[in-house]
Amino acid sequence: MPIRKDETGKHWVEMELLLPGTPEQVWHAVATGPGNAAWFTRGEIEPRVGGAFSLDFGGGATTMGEVTAWDPPHQFGYVERDWAEGAPPVATEITITGRAGNQCVLRMVHSLFTTSDDWDDQMEGFESGWPGFFAVLRLYLGHFAGAEAASFMAVAPTAGESLPTWRKLIEDLGLTGADVGDRRTGVGPEGLSGQVAHIHQDGVQRYVLLRITDPTPGVLLAGTYDKSAKETGGEGGTNVSVLRYFYGDDAAAVAAIRESKWRDWLNASHDDGGEAD
């Protein structure tokens, strides 16, 4: 949905999606640190209003804030005050509503108060950045709900254009010509086996989602993001990212072993002078 504004200076974007699972399962996934690691990124959330909130995106990139709403399993909110230099605080509100058929509606609203439109691009980025993660969330809740989870994210900045960078990523992964529903083996440096669950392409970002069955259950989310001229001082370029999710009792141990392998692979395949996160 487009950015909405009112006379008080509030700017906000909102998203709504239908998810498999009970309110308790969805709450665990979105309102706890271990749950976030299953579909988004590693984090810590203190379970109370006023509690500390933090997310770790790897490579020293973190965001910190404070819990503003805590009503399990229906309402969770937090505010981030230092998410960008000079930016006003941004608040996030999440509401979970149970539906028939073991489903829930999740509504997410990002909002801030400002007298200018200087942060509208970032607000739009919040909205456009979520769908890939929401696709992982659906897979986790639909196939692995409640399982122990661990994850990591690796990013390599490149100077290349979006489409050829995407094609190289898909070729290097062993997913050239893949369609949703295909089963693939030998994917990436782990030699993964699994089913292609989702593919997305638009003018800014492209990504593929693989539900992994072997060697251990999990998800791979790999893609490219066309960096804005504003972000790079007019130079442009494309970020290549790999997000790897592991499920099961030994998820943390396996993730710790595999992380360096993926980072080395990403640097070797897509490093053109930039430094990967």
Side-chain angles (χ1 to χ4, degrees):
M1 296 180 65
I3 295 174
R4 303 174 67 181
K5 307 173 186 180
D6 65 20
E7 65 279 359
T8 70
K10 181 179 179 180
H11 295 219
W12 75 96
V13 293
E14 57 186 70
M15 295 147 281
E16 191 171 283
L17 64 153
L18 186 65
L19 295 169
T22 65
E24 290 77 12
Q25 289 172 329
V26 176
W27 175 268
H28 172 76
V30 302
T32 71
N36 269 269
W39 65 279
F40 186 35
T41 193
R42 296 175 287 204
E44 296 184 8
I45 301 172
E46 192 175 357
R48 63 178 179 86
V49 173
F53 170 92
S54 66
L55 295 173
D56 181 356
F57 298 97
T62 60
T63 184
M64 303 183 70
E66 179 182 319
V67 176
T68 56
W70 187 265
D71 182 18
H74 299 296
Q75 187 176 16
F76 170 54
Y78 56 92
V79 62
E80 299 165 88
R81 295 187 173 84
D82 299 313
W83 60 279
E85 185 176 355
V90 60
T92 299
E93 304 166 46
I94 297 173
T95 304
I96 302 165
T97 305
R99 290 286 186 265
N102 198 39
Q103 298 183 105
C104 288
V105 173
L106 183 144
R107 183 172 182 265
M108 178 182 288
V109 180
H110 295 299
S111 63
L112 54 78
F113 287 87
T114 178
T115 57
S116 76
D117 297 331
D118 292 348
W119 303 102
D120 285 0
D121 287 348
Q122 284 82 353
M123 293 288 284
E124 290 175 352
F126 292 159
E127 184 179 23
S128 64
W130 278 116
F133 294 110
F134 287 157
V136 179
L137 178 58
R138 284 192 179 96
L139 282 181
Y140 173 69
L141 290 170
H143 299 277
F144 309 103
E148 293 292 321
S151 60
F152 60 80
M153 174 188 301
V155 180
T158 77
E161 295 182 358
S162 176
L163 185 55
T165 302
W166 162 254
R167 287 172 174 164
K168 175 173 171 52
L169 172 63
I170 290 301
E171 180 181 0
D172 291 346
L173 284 170
L175 292 173
T176 300
D179 293 312
V180 172
D182 281 354
R183 297 198 62 82
R184 291 295 181 103
T185 60
V187 176
E190 291 182 81
L192 303 171
S193 297
Q195 185 174 42
V196 178
H198 187 74
I199 298 173
H200 172 87
Q201 296 193 60
D202 62 33
V204 176
Q205 61 180 332
R206 308 167 195 270
Y207 55 83
V208 60
L209 194 65
L210 184 75
R211 180 163 69 91
I212 300 161
T213 55
D214 190 68
T216 57
V219 169
L220 171 69
L221 174 62
T224 61
Y225 186 87
D226 190 12
K227 295 186 289 185
S228 68
K230 182 177 181 180
E231 176 186 345
T232 59
E235 296 180 2
T238 304
N239 280 340
V240 180
S241 63
V242 170
L243 296 99
R244 183 71 169 86
Y245 301 90
F246 302 81
Y247 306 133
D249 293 342
D250 59 349
V254 176
I257 295 170
R258 304 290 170 77
E259 182 170 358
S260 61
K261 179 177 291 189
W262 275 101
R263 293 190 183 280
D264 291 345
W265 177 88
L266 191 61
N267 281 325
S269 298
H270 297 276
D271 183 15
D272 59 5
E275 185 174 325
D277 291 344

